[in-house]
Amino acid sequence: MISQYLPLFDSLMVKIALIGVLGIGAQWIAWRTGRPAIALMLIVGVIAGPILGLIRPEEDFGPLMEPIVKLAVAVILFEGGLSLNFRDLRHAGAGVLRLVVIGVPVGWGLGTAAAYYGAGLPLPVAALFGGILVVTGPTVIGPMLRTLRVGDRVRNILKWEGIINDPIGALLAVAIYAYISYTGPQVNFVDIGVEVIGATLIAALLGAALGFFLTWAFPRGYAPEYLKAPILLITVIFGFVAADLIMHETGLVTVTVMGVVMANRAIYSSHALHRFKEDLAVLLISGVFILLSATLDWETVSQFQARFVAFLLLLLFIVRPLTVFASLMFSNVPWRERIFIGWIAPRGIVAVAITGLFAIRLVDYGVEDAEALVPLSFGVVIVTIFAHGFSAGWLARRLGIDQGKGEGLLIVGANRWTIALAEFFKARDIPVMIADTSAIALRGARRAELETYRGDILDEVHEDDLSLGRFQHLIAATDNDSYNALVANDLGPEMGHEAITRIGRDASVGALQKRGRILLESGRTIDGLLDRLLAGWAFSQTRITEKFPVEDYRENMKAGGGESVAVIKPDNRVLFFSMQARPVIDIGDQLVSFVPPEDPQEIKEKRDEERVVKDEAKKKAG
């Protein structure tokens, strides 16, 4: 049945579209199911590649395959560098420094020993592969951290280590390859080291210069807003290619340094540029992983030998844990976090791309067992992605560092109505935080023993002083309609626009609806809500049962003039009513209402009495 449609996939355009659909589709399924995106992308790629033969990267892209992958990795690394703000190092800096200064040489030595004794590779080839394996892979760490709820210290250590060690691993491979390829009296490891370090410094200076130039030029208006993102992308590609011409793989240093420089210098449009680069990185990671797994043909699989299993076991259970424990010894990182970091070390596209590149060169050079590097690198990527991807959440929970799914509510704006709403949810074991720039406005919240945060929420979130992962919903309820709209629009991409509602002061319903979801079906303003609270209105809770269905609840609300606020699901999810959306209500849900002084129970009793009278009248008429 499938075979009759195979000719459709002979078109390169169809294949490119298929790669995009499969990659993003796998990420969407991962988001819906909570499964590791990297593992699903590998599975999808294997099905589309070696199993069905729909995608054959080497045949489809030919000599373009290598530059496509290298440029994609460059953009991914730059986007990763763009997320490396030095503020993250306040608690994780010592751990990151140790994993770079101590962890790289220790990991290189242990990885070399594992490849030599476990996989049986010749010592020069083992040393080259051990250097590559100090990389932990931002292309896989990023998607993995996106699905984990661990503390900032663990998150930042893994993020910084993955991005910084990527170019270091590539440079180690460059140095070892140079040593292997040099012959006769020219062999001098000191000279090779000086050459590699010199090229690295030039690449780093180039990256810093490009980063400083853009952060100087953009705020001064030397580029229009619509050209800033394209200029940034082209500059990244230019920097990578220029450095790579000096020495292979040093371009990775250039783009990483460029990203770090731009992340730590204030520039206008930085949030928009970062969003563009993040979206592009997601697309590239998806495409690269599909290409990566599709290149895994049966010939490569057949070259995988039983002795490689010993190497993989050593890598998982000896090399990585010992590297982390040696690096973080006598540090302030708790043991539970050390154990978690010591287990998490997935490898990705950078490891495979660099290994494949050097494997081809070593084979051409006539180095023994060099052809074993390709299947071995695929084995490392597949085993680490599945082992770490599927066990990370379980291990975090067992170690007690999993912060769980964000169940809290964040209310921006402290006033009597928001404080009353927060007290209502807090009494039902749903954590609530109220944020405001005014210490005076927060006094009432503190008196009610609510969690508070003083500061501009937009600055605090973007500067990583406040993690939105803690919260399932945000309500912007200040008395400034423009600020509420700004919060909804600016933080919508972070939380999801469906997870943010706001209260406005604008009486124009049309204007309100164009700038984000408006809390409550009536779209009542904050002044109206405060007036009703002063008049004695209060929050109430009603449970939907088979005896009291949602239809009866709605009749009560209509009769009493109340307002539906939210639905509390059995799993503590809170779904708010808005002008644009009404939550689906099921039996067992708790409905939160804002009702006038009349007791809602009295309304219910009145409705029950009316129903009894109607039933008796029907019986008599029958």
Side-chain angles (χ1 to χ4, degrees):
M1 186 69 179
I2 296 179
S3 59
Q4 62 180 323
Y5 296 105
L6 290 180
L8 295 175
F9 294 93
D10 291 338
S11 168
L12 182 58
M13 183 173 64
V14 174
K15 291 177 184 287
I16 293 174
L18 181 62
I19 290 171
V21 170
L22 293 177
I24 298 301
Q27 294 227 35
W28 182 82
I29 293 173
W31 168 72
R32 292 291 296 178
T33 62
R35 303 300 181 188
I38 46 179
L40 293 180
M41 285 188 284
L42 271 177
I43 294 172
V44 169
V46 169
I47 293 173
I51 293 180
L52 297 180
L54 302 179
I55 302 172
R56 299 182 180 90
E58 291 89 349
E59 298 178 15
D60 298 333
F61 296 95
L64 291 176
M65 178 68 178
E66 181 181 328
I68 287 173
V69 171
K70 291 184 70 173
L71 290 176
V73 170
V75 175
I76 293 167
L77 268 183
F78 170 74
E79 196 280 327
L82 204 60
S83 68
L84 297 183
N85 196 297
F86 290 136
R87 285 186 296 267
D88 298 340
L89 298 180
R90 284 175 297 185
H91 304 296
V96 172
L97 182 63
R98 286 167 172 265
L99 284 172
V100 173
V101 176
I102 301 174
V104 167
V106 171
W108 182 21
L110 292 175
T112 299
Y116 180 69
Y117 293 105
L121 298 178
L123 186 58
V125 178
L128 185 143
F129 196 48
I132 294 173
L133 291 182
V134 303
V135 170
T136 53
T139 57
V140 286
I141 286 290
M144 182 179 294
L145 291 177
R146 194 174 289 123
T147 60
L148 290 176
R149 285 278 294 131
V150 293
D152 289 339
R153 176 167 46 206
V154 173
R155 180 179 298 274
N156 289 328
I157 285 177
L158 288 172
K159 180 177 69 174
W160 275 81
E161 181 201 16
I163 295 171
I164 291 178
N165 280 359
D166 244 34
I168 292 176
L171 292 173
L172 285 174
V174 169
I176 298 300
Y177 173 74
Y179 181 78
I180 294 173
S181 60
Y182 287 171
T183 58
Q186 295 180 338
V187 177
N188 187 325
F189 203 76
V190 174
D191 291 343
I192 295 171
V194 171
E195 182 181 345
V196 172
I197 292 173
T200 302
L201 288 176
I202 294 174
L205 289 174
L206 175 60
L210 293 174
F212 273 100
F213 173 72
L214 290 181
T215 54
W216 173 85
F218 281 179
R220 288 166 174 78
Y222 288 110
E225 201 67 30
Y226 73 93
L227 279 182
K228 286 182 178 179
I231 289 174
L232 182 59
L233 177 60
I234 293 302
T235 305
V236 170
I237 295 175
F238 165 77
F240 174 80
V241 173
D244 219 48
L245 292 175
I246 299 172
M247 176 175 281
H248 285 301
E249 316 311 327
T250 54
L252 300 177
V253 177
T254 298
V255 296
T256 303
V257 172
M258 181 181 168
V260 173
V261 168
M262 295 191 67
N264 290 276
R265 283 174 57 83
I267 100 177
Y268 297 123
S269 306
S270 59
H271 303 321
L273 290 176
H274 181 75
R275 175 60 54 189
F276 166 77
K277 302 305 292 182
E278 187 177 69
D279 293 343
L280 184 59
V282 170
L283 287 170
L284 292 175
I285 288 173
S286 302
V288 164
F289 262 100
I290 298 300
L291 289 175
L292 161 72
S293 47
T295 56
L296 186 62
D297 55 23
W298 298 119
E299 182 180 352
T300 303
V301 173
S302 65
Q303 293 176 3
F304 190 87
Q305 303 174 34
R307 60 192 169 110
F308 294 166
V309 175
F311 167 76
L312 294 174
L313 293 176
L314 289 171
L315 185 67
L316 287 174
F317 299 105
I318 302 295
V319 175
R320 175 62 177 180
L322 284 183
T323 299
V324 172
F325 294 156
S327 303
L328 300 181
M329 189 179 299
F330 307 119
S331 71
N332 62 349
V333 180
W335 273 103
R336 291 182 298 176
E337 296 181 3
R338 295 187 206 181
I339 294 173
F340 185 79
I341 296 170
W343 172 243
I344 301 301
R347 273 69 171 188
I349 184 58
V350 176
V352 170
I354 295 174
T355 303
L357 176 66
F358 285 107
I360 294 172
R361 295 175 183 174
L362 290 174
V363 169
D364 292 341
Y365 198 72
V367 177
E368 182 185 359
D369 271 355
E371 67 279 357
L373 288 178
V374 174
L376 192 54
S377 65
F378 271 108
V380 169
V381 169
I382 293 173
V383 169
T384 56
I385 282 178
F386 277 88
H388 300 148
F390 282 100
S391 65
W394 174 84
L395 183 61
R397 290 189 293 272
R398 291 297 296 254
L399 292 173
I401 64 173
D402 180 24
Q403 297 179 347
K405 184 179 179 181
E407 294 185 348
L409 302 177
L410 175 59
I411 302 177
V412 181
N415 52 61
R416 295 191 310 274
W417 190 83
T418 58
I419 291 172
L421 180 66
E423 287 183 295
F424 180 86
F425 281 113
K426 181 186 176 183
R428 282 143 187 85
D429 297 324
I430 296 175
V432 185
M433 174 188 286
I434 295 184
D436 203 294
T437 56
S438 170
I440 296 176
L442 289 172
R443 286 180 181 175
R446 293 194 183 101
R447 283 195 295 268
E449 298 182 348
L450 296 168
E451 185 181 4
T452 61
Y453 196 97
R454 183 188 176 189
D456 187 335
I457 195 67
L458 296 177
D459 290 341
E460 310 309 325
V461 168
H462 289 306
E463 293 177 4
D464 294 328
D465 290 333
L466 183 64
S467 173
L468 290 178
R470 297 174 49 190
F471 308 107
Q472 59 173 309
H473 200 93
L474 183 151
I475 299 174
T478 71
D479 58 0
N480 187 327
D481 180 36
S482 298
Y483 183 74
N484 293 340
L486 181 62
V487 169
N489 291 334
D490 202 40
L491 299 185
E494 300 285 336
M495 295 187 67
H497 290 283
E498 73 283 351
I500 299 178
T501 51
R502 67 185 187 88
I503 298 175
R505 296 178 59 87
D506 194 332
S508 169
V509 171
L512 288 173
Q513 288 181 325
K514 292 177 182 177
R515 293 180 286 171
R517 289 189 175 186
I518 305 302
L519 187 67
L520 307 179
E521 294 179 66
S522 65
R524 199 168 302 280
T525 65
I526 190 64
D527 289 338
L529 293 172
L530 288 170
D531 289 343
R532 290 192 168 193
L533 187 70
L534 189 62
W537 284 53
F539 294 99
S540 70
Q541 178 176 321
T542 306
R543 182 180 178 83
I544 301 300
T545 64
E546 292 183 357
K547 294 184 178 180
F548 186 73
V550 66
E551 291 77 14
D552 288 353
Y553 165 80
R554 286 172 177 154
E555 288 181 9
N556 284 354
M557 287 295 101
K558 185 176 180 181
E563 184 102 54
S564 299
V565 178
V567 178
I568 304 177
K569 294 291 183 178
D571 59 359
N572 265 9
R573 284 184 299 128
V574 182
L575 307 176
F576 285 88
F577 286 85
S578 69
M579 295 182 68
Q580 294 85 357
R582 297 181 182 180
V584 176
I585 303 171
D586 302 309
I587 293 176
D589 291 345
Q590 304 282 347
L591 279 161
V592 180
S593 311
F594 190 48
V595 296
E598 185 179 6
D599 187 358
Q601 185 62 32
E602 293 180 5
I603 298 176
K604 179 177 179 300
E605 291 175 356
K606 288 180 181 178
R607 302 297 301 177
D608 290 342
E609 291 175 2
E610 292 175 2
R611 188 181 295 109
V612 169
V613 171
K614 290 180 180 178
D615 291 343
E616 290 178 352
K618 287 181 180 179
K619 290 179 180 179
K620 291 179 180 179

